[in-house]
């Protein structure tokens, strides 16, 4: 498995537009308008804010189901996941499963590692391009 | 208003056993632990890995807890071009920001933003902010 970089840090927020406005107005960090939007299958609305070679991903739950909504219910706003860019997602998933990790099947270039396999940290694997 | 952030310098994973957590991540991700240290003052045990320009910092108590470690994402640090200017701008906006103080990275200053970050513990940092001796150069991790 070859890790290329930290792709992004996922941050759960209550109100996406308010969070984006805060980060732009007060920190000068602007969302990339070409990425993000609503993902009904995941029950979220998101936006990406580039900072160097990585992004901050702001995530707002839009349903009361799923892990993002559950995180928001239990902890409010905060850091939700760490996304790692890999060169070969299928190979990365196989590598981690061979080490005993629980990993979701790749879907749209993304797979999730169960926090049970990482002492509690939500890890995402992503293959760009 | 910009604080002159250039990139994410590091992301913190807080753990009840930072050595065991770092070793576990190193094994899973196939990446070496680049540096291990004890934080002066608190005695916290820190271990570091690096991916591209971003450092993963595993932080834990001096003595690990028994049983399986519990870990969580616990904030990040943004590099800025001028930490004193960034602190001044944030304070002008009403942000509670600590005074810049020496970071564990030689030659660097760090200041904590204590609120208004949408639930994310957040700090800003500038390398090369403290006059350098030859030994005070930016570490690889």
């Amino acid at each position: 498995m070859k890790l290329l970089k930290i792709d992004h840090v996922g941050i759960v927020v209550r109100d996406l537009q308010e969070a984006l406005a805060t980060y732009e107005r007060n920190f000068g960090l602007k969302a990339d308008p070409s990425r993000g939007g609503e993902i009904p299958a995941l029950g979220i609305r998101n936006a990406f804010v580039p900072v160097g070679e990585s992004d901050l991903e702001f995530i707002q739950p839009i349903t009361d189901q799923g892990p993002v909504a559950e995180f928001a219910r239990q902890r409010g706003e905060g850091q939700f996941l760490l996304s790692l860019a890999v060169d070969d997602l299928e190979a990365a998933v196989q590598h981690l499963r061979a080490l005993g990790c629980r990993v979701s099947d790749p879907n749209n270039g993304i797979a999730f590692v169960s926090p049970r396999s990482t002492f509690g940290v939500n890890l995402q694997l992503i293959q760009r391009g | 208003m910009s604080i002159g952030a250039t990139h994410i310098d590091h992301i913190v994973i807080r753990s009840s056993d930072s050595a065991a957590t770092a070793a576990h991540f190193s094994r899973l991700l196939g990446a070496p632990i680049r540096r291990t240290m004890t934080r002066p003052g608190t005695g916290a045990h820190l271990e570091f890995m690096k991916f591209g320009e971003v450092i993963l910092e595993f932080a834990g108590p001096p003595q690990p807890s028994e049983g399986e470690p519990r870990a969580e994402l616990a904030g990040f640090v943004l590099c800025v071009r001028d930490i004193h200017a960034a602190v001044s701008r944030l304070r002008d906006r009403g942000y509670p920001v600590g005074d810049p103080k020496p970071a564990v990275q030689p030659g660097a200053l760090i200041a904590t933003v204590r609120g208004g970050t949408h639930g994310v513990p957040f700090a800003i940092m500038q390398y090369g902010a403290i006059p350098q001796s030859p030994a005070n150069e930016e570490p690889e991790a």
Side-chain angles (χ1 to χ4, degrees):
Chain A
M1 177 169 92
K2 185 177 181 185
L3 278 178
L4 302 176
K5 64 173 185 172
I6 303 291
D7 191 83
H8 63 268
V9 179
I11 300 166
V12 171
V13 296
R14 279 188 289 271
D15 184 318
L16 180 63
Q17 293 309 317
E18 181 187 320
L20 294 178
T22 296
Y23 273 71
E24 178 171 348
R25 183 177 60 244
N26 296 336
F27 308 133
L29 299 172
K30 298 179 183 178
D32 177 351
S34 70
R35 293 184 288 158
E38 266 192 29
I39 309 174
L42 296 178
I44 65 166
R45 176 183 300 133
N46 68 356
F48 291 89
V49 175
V51 192
E53 70 177 20
S54 302
D55 293 321
L56 303 179
E57 179 195 18
F58 292 93
I59 312 164
Q60 177 190 334
I62 55 174
T63 70
D64 58 4
Q65 303 292 317
V68 173
E70 181 66 19
F71 180 96
R73 228 179 350 262
Q74 290 189 356
R75 298 179 52 180
E77 297 184 310
Q79 238 172 316
F80 173 66
L81 67 73
L82 184 62
S83 178
L84 307 170
V86 296
D87 64 339
D88 184 335
L89 182 59
E90 289 283 354
V93 168
Q94 292 310 315
H95 165 81
L96 289 172
R97 285 177 175 167
L99 292 174
C101 292
R102 295 172 53 162
V103 188
S104 69
D105 290 330
N107 186 15
N108 288 327
I110 290 172
F112 294 94
V113 184
S114 168
R116 293 180 185 178
S117 300
T118 61
F119 299 150
V121 177
N122 283 322
L123 281 188
Q124 179 192 76
L125 305 173
I126 188 165
Q127 182 178 345
R128 298 280 185 192
Chain B
M1 186 201 76
S2 172
I3 58 171
T6 58
H7 64 280
I8 299 171
D9 182 78
H10 61 276
I11 297 166
V12 180
I13 295 177
R14 182 170 51 219
S15 170
S16 58
D17 184 341
S18 50
T21 303
H24 185 59
F25 275 66
S26 177
R27 176 171 166 265
L28 295 184
L29 305 179
I33 296 166
R34 302 275 291 267
R35 186 181 176 206
T36 298
M37 66 172 291
T38 299
R39 187 190 298 279
T42 67
H45 181 78
L46 309 178
E47 302 211 0
F48 302 89
M49 299 167 67
K50 191 167 188 182
F51 301 100
E53 67 186 9
V54 181
I55 295 164
L56 268 192
E57 174 185 313
F58 298 86
Q63 298 300 323
S65 304
E66 291 186 6
E68 182 172 292
R70 290 295 304 157
E72 62 179 354
L73 293 164
F76 58 82
V77 177
L78 297 177
C79 258
V80 297
R81 295 184 186 90
D82 182 338
I83 193 167
H84 297 290
V87 166
S88 176
R89 289 186 187 122
L90 287 168
R91 285 177 175 165
D92 285 347
R93 286 272 176 181
Y95 273 83
V97 186
D99 290 329
K101 61 183 182 183
V104 297
Q105 293 81 359
L109 287 175
I110 191 166
T112 303
V113 183
R114 299 199 176 100
T117 58
H118 288 273
V120 183
F122 179 141
I124 55 176
M125 179 174 169
Q126 181 190 348
Y127 283 101
I130 299 173
Q132 299 283 294
S133 68
N136 281 351
E137 294 175 348
E138 182 178 341
E140 289 187 354

